[in-house]
Amino acid sequence: MASGLDTQKLDAVFKSRPDILKDIHKAADTPLQVQLFNKIASFVYEQIGEPRSGSSLKRRRVDIEPSQNGNTPTTTASAATIEDAASENILLEIKDISVSIPQRKKFELCFTPKHIYARAPNTTAPIPGIVYAWKEIEYAFYLPVPEKAQVQHNYVLFPRNSNSLSKSGAPTEDPLMFTISANAPKPGSIGGPNAGAASAVSDSYSTLFHWAIGKCLQAAGNNVQIVTADSAKFHSKVRQPHRPKEPAVHVKAFRGSKDGYLFFLENGILWGFKKPLLFIPLDKIAAISYTSVLQRTFNMVVEVFTGEDGDDEATEEIEFAMLDQEDYGGINESYVTRHRLQDRSMADQRKAKRELAENAKGKKGAEDGEDANGHADENGMTELERAQIEAEQQLQDDEDEDEEDYDPGSEGESEGSGTSSEDDDDDDDAPGDEMEEDDDSGEED
């Protein structure tokens, strides 16, 4: 009965899998099964065209694989953005970097005055989908890779539109995530006009990238800081089997069917490291509660402001499941209570602080010393600066009133002590050399 099979198309589609062909011939013992196998072969054949070999079929799958956010690489970075980045002089290039998102592959990372992008070895063109403007970076993180015997860290850069808190709105871009070891860069892996300045901060990959990313963000007028996990402020109670003497700064948690890790950071909660990554800023959190509290696990529900349809009060719930009971006390006391996330009473103050920060950014568009109408007062203060100071004073007065009624119990620390921002030690200790564009670098070629 197997003689009725379309062997030409079956051989073309499954040439690299003779075991499957053998099973098909064995199973095709009725006319209906023969017809079914022929339909499957025809469909696959039409989708991929005539494959010449198993290796070419594999390459084709890799080339067209879209991101799990539903975006193809070409939509992430427009052709114009790629051309802009390619036309700039490269300030610094670092070879053999393991990129995980948007694509899992080793690339060279190139730093230009306005962009960071990846390119394949021995090429000059940026990889579509891995081109990011410094001014568009909204969040930056440096976090340990969990459950690794050797110490590794992930850098995660979120550009705008790469992080969505609403279930109805998928991110339109992918963040950039790449992994580094604790070692120093290999000789010859750093190039570009700023390689000399970079060598002074190349004791390790982390000091190199903290310096390079920090300087480029600063030069682009972007005040985003690289946020790291601080075990002194939060760490898991669960012992790490791979590095038992080192406190873990992550908590295992499921998001839907995907397993991952939660990081409780100074500016919000990050879930990674599988696509799509998710970051929930503190000022977007309305409240945190717990469900399905069992003997060994519990679920955490984060109510977030989504701003859907222009409604600032619109919220949705994001649930993380199967957290270990050992971590309940640390999460609830060291993070949720410290940041007053257990109810919505403090949500308005967090939102007000965010609005103040956004107003401060908007002020940069005007000339220094001018108000909204282009005039400064007798003290040299703009109208926006006066409004900001008055709003901050009002927030401080409200917090003082709340603290008078608040009993910290056995914690013995004042509220908000964990909300102060961390200064990056690596960045502070780095030399003050700026990432500068070499005027002659563009004339050599």
Side-chain angles (χ1 to χ4, degrees), residues 151-216:
V151 177
Q152 295 180 339
H153 284 78
N154 282 332
Y155 279 93
V156 184
L157 304 181
F158 281 93
R160 289 176 178 80
N161 302 319
S162 66
N163 187 52
S164 176
L165 301 180
S166 173
K167 297 175 183 177
S168 61
T172 57
E173 295 193 36
D174 280 315
L176 171 63
M177 187 174 83
F178 58 91
T179 306
I180 62 165
S181 68
N183 302 324
K186 297 178 181 179
S189 62
I190 302 174
N194 282 271
S199 64
V201 290
S202 296
D203 295 336
S204 66
Y205 274 110
S206 62
T207 56
L208 171 62
F209 275 107
H210 267 64
W211 173 79
I213 293 173
K215 293 301 181 185
C216 286

Side-chain angles (χ1 to χ4, degrees), residues 241-262:
H242 297 85
R243 299 196 297 273
K245 295 182 179 180
E246 180 182 324
V249 291
H250 65 272
V251 172
K252 288 185 178 180
F254 279 80
R255 184 183 173 205
S257 61
K258 294 183 178 181
D259 60 323
Y261 307 95
L262 287 170

Side-chain angles (χ1 to χ4, degrees), residues 11 58 75 98 118 137 162 168 228 235 253 266 297 318 366 377 438:
D11 289 343
K58 183 177 181 180
T75 61
S98 297
I137 300 299
S162 66
S168 61
T228 63
H235 64 270
E266 65 181 53
T297 64
I318 301 174
D377 65 7
D438 189 342

Side-chain angles (χ1 to χ4, degrees), residues 222-282:
N222 191 337
N223 62 357
V224 168
Q225 301 294 316
I226 300 175
V227 175
T228 63
D230 186 353
S231 61
K233 293 184 177 180
F234 177 84
H235 64 270
S236 172
K237 301 298 182 182
V238 179
R239 185 185 181 193
Q240 292 191 95
H242 297 85
R243 299 196 297 273
K245 295 182 179 180
E246 180 182 324
V249 291
H250 65 272
V251 172
K252 288 185 178 180
F254 279 80
R255 184 183 173 205
S257 61
K258 294 183 178 181
D259 60 323
Y261 307 95
L262 287 170
F263 292 86
F264 295 87
L265 306 170
E266 65 181 53
N267 60 341
I269 301 172
L270 185 143
W271 183 88
F273 288 109
K274 294 183 178 178
K275 292 200 285 186
L277 302 182
L278 176 67
F279 176 64
I280 308 175
L282 283 179

